[in-house]
Amino acid sequence: MVIVGNSIPQAATWLQNGFPVAIPTETVYGLAANACDPDALLKVFAAKKRPLFDPLIVHLPSLNAIVPYTQEIPPFAYALWERYSPGPLTLVLRKSKLLPDLLSSGLPTAGFRIPAHPIALDLLNAIDFPLAAPSANLFGRVSPTTASHVVDQLGDTIPYILDGGPCLIGLESTIIDLSGPYPVLLREGGIPSHQIEDDLKISLQRPQHTFRLPEGFAPSPGTLESHYAPIVPMECYHNNEELSTAIRRILLKKEIGWPNPEVEISERTPSLGMLRFQSDIPKTFRQLWEDSARGASLNVEILSQSGDLKEAARNFFAALRKLERDNTYILAEKAPDHGLGLAINDRLQRGSK
Ligand code: TXA
Ligand code: MG
């Protein structure tokens, strides 16, 4: 059984011996391994049940430490890291031969990030190799923001979890690809892309807004495929009208009892989980449910009572986990379409059917 502790020397020893260790970062918990050791990387892919075609990102404690693992660092990368590192920003650059092809799934590039969590930085400074660390969840599922979330999904397969408390940001890093002729936003994340554009007076290409990826850019599987999915079906809505339609349809079709072939939920009593951004659902909908759902429960999780996007982001994955644990269907309200709301909505979109 996995040990949950706060010993940096113990975590470092497991890593030096080629084992994966879950580590806290300011975004989400990562499943770390020596980025230069293909055997250790294979253990990360295996523990997460992650396909080998989905590349891992590399964590280092400083810009100087990143240099040897890249072919070159473009001036714009310096500008970005000067402004936002350590922090939730991953830059895709051409990698040097020190990083194995397994790490990058055969791509000539790799993602690099300097995490802001003090424990992650202490650990990175205590070892003499970079850490590859995808989020410490099973492939495609909801990311972990506490040590106990990691225990839930990976507790049987890894030896050690370094506990750094709940993650402050709660959403993964923003990923920008700088390996081509112009910067491309591959994933909305902890630093809103529009803030980066305003701060640095640049514009980022957004592949999801173009018909296809610009030539020379590798797809980022986490940005293009179904991801962050709860174990029960989830559906998103924008406003009360869409909510009304969804609730009425669910009441008619009893969709909330749908069994999911991947998990043992068919035994569960049907119940509806509601993810709300700021407020409880309007009384009329609760009344409608109580009148027509014949005892099926309705559970609401509110992300931020004050409507604060940072607080909502911090609570997001934990709320989704709670809803998937206690319900057979999730209806999720979209966050406002700006700032960190874009990153939340991106996760909601890709986590829904
Ligand atoms: O905040 C984060 O970034 C967290 C913490 C642990 O640092 N890590 C994380 O890793 O979210 P992961 O593997 O769950 O997501 C990284 C994404 C994946 O979707 C992967 O496909 C993409 O980055 N990626 C990695 N290397 C890439 C590359 N060379 N080119 C394009 N996309 C890449
Ligand atoms: Mg992930």
Side-chain angles (χ1 to χ4, degrees):
M1 190 57 195
V2 66
I3 297 169
V4 181
N6 47 26
S7 164
I8 288 177
Q10 264 193 56
T13 303
W14 282 112
L15 290 165
Q16 271 144 4
N17 290 332
F19 288 92
V21 167
I23 61 164
T25 83
E26 79 281 27
T27 59
V28 299
Y29 274 71
L31 184 59
N34 180 347
C36 299
D37 175 353
D39 289 337
L41 297 179
L42 278 176
K43 290 182 189 142
V44 169
F45 282 104
K48 277 183 60 82
K49 299 195 168 70
R50 179 171 173 126
L52 294 177
F53 62 72
D54 193 359
L56 309 178
I57 63 173
V58 179
H59 299 68
L60 282 152
S62 67
L63 187 45
N64 277 346
I66 290 177
V67 174
Y69 298 97
T70 63
Q71 293 208 4
E72 61 160 344
I73 300 191
F76 188 48
Y78 281 104
L80 281 164
W81 267 321
E82 256 159 40
R83 180 109 195 183
Y84 303 114
S85 77
L89 177 69
T90 297
L91 298 184
V92 172
L93 305 172
R94 296 184 76 77
K95 72 179 181 77
S96 79
K97 291 211 166 70
L98 293 176
L99 295 173
D101 285 343
L102 182 65
L103 173 106
S104 58
S105 307
L107 296 173
T109 57
F112 294 90
R113 168 160 128 76
I114 306 167
H117 198 294
I119 293 179
L121 284 174
D122 283 352
L123 175 65
L124 285 164
N125 281 312
I127 54 181
D128 58 2
F129 47 84
L131 290 179
S135 50
N137 50 279
L138 290 171
F139 180 69
R141 299 264 296 273
V142 174
S143 299
T145 52
T146 65
S148 80
H149 291 167
V150 183
V151 176
D152 290 347
Q153 285 188 13
L154 303 179
D156 293 336
T157 47
I158 61 173
Y160 197 76
I161 299 173
L162 192 53
D163 191 349
C167 301
L168 272 181
I169 291 182
L171 298 174
E172 297 82 350
S173 58
T174 303
I175 305 182
I176 298 175
D177 188 340
L178 294 183
S179 66
Y182 40 81
V184 176
L185 176 72
L186 293 183
R187 178 172 76 185
E188 277 290 353
I191 308 172
S193 59
H194 294 292
Q195 183 187 329
I196 297 175
E197 292 181 312
D198 287 352
D199 287 348
L200 296 185
K201 309 276 175 286
I202 47 118
S203 70
L204 301 169
Q205 300 289 316
R206 291 175 170 74
Q208 59 270 45
H209 293 165
T210 58
F211 182 60
R212 58 195 192 100
L213 282 172
E215 199 160 336
F217 284 104
S220 179
T223 67
L224 297 178
E225 293 185 355
S226 159
H227 240 72
Y228 314 107
I231 56 175
V232 298
M234 177 166 76
E235 177 183 341
C236 303
Y237 66 91
H238 288 92
N239 50 36
N240 280 344
E241 204 183 319
E242 285 181 18
L243 171 61
S244 169
T245 311
I247 289 191
R248 284 169 209 280
R249 199 199 59 238
I250 286 167
L251 284 169
L252 277 177
K253 286 198 190 164
K254 311 213 175 30
E255 256 169 63
I256 58 171
W258 278 353
N260 180 326
E262 276 179 36
V263 273
E264 290 295 319
I265 59 161
S266 50
E267 301 291 299
R268 290 189 194 174
T269 319
S271 91
L272 178 62
M274 305 272 301
L275 185 73
R276 296 282 295 178
F277 176 63
Q278 184 174 4
S279 58
D280 199 350
I281 56 167
K283 281 207 181 76
T284 45
F285 293 121
R286 196 175 276 280
Q287 196 60 53
L288 175 68
W289 186 261
E290 278 163 16
D291 291 345
S292 320
R294 277 178 264 138
S297 62
L298 185 148
N299 300 302
V300 178
E301 285 292 314
I302 298 171
L303 291 180
S304 168
Q305 303 269 4
S306 63
D308 177 46
L309 282 166
K310 282 191 178 159
E311 186 185 20
R314 194 155 54 235
N315 292 332
F316 176 69
F317 281 128
L320 266 193
R321 277 179 185 246
K322 204 159 169 228
L323 290 172
E324 72 174 2
R325 191 192 62 202
D326 298 340
N327 301 285
T328 48
Y329 198 86
I330 299 174
L331 270 182
E333 180 186 28
K334 290 250 176 155
D337 245 344
H338 57 83
L340 285 174
L342 291 175
I344 294 176
N345 290 343
D346 164 72
R347 276 44 170 192
L348 282 177
Q349 193 64 45
R350 284 187 285 128
S352 55
K353 61 198 176 71

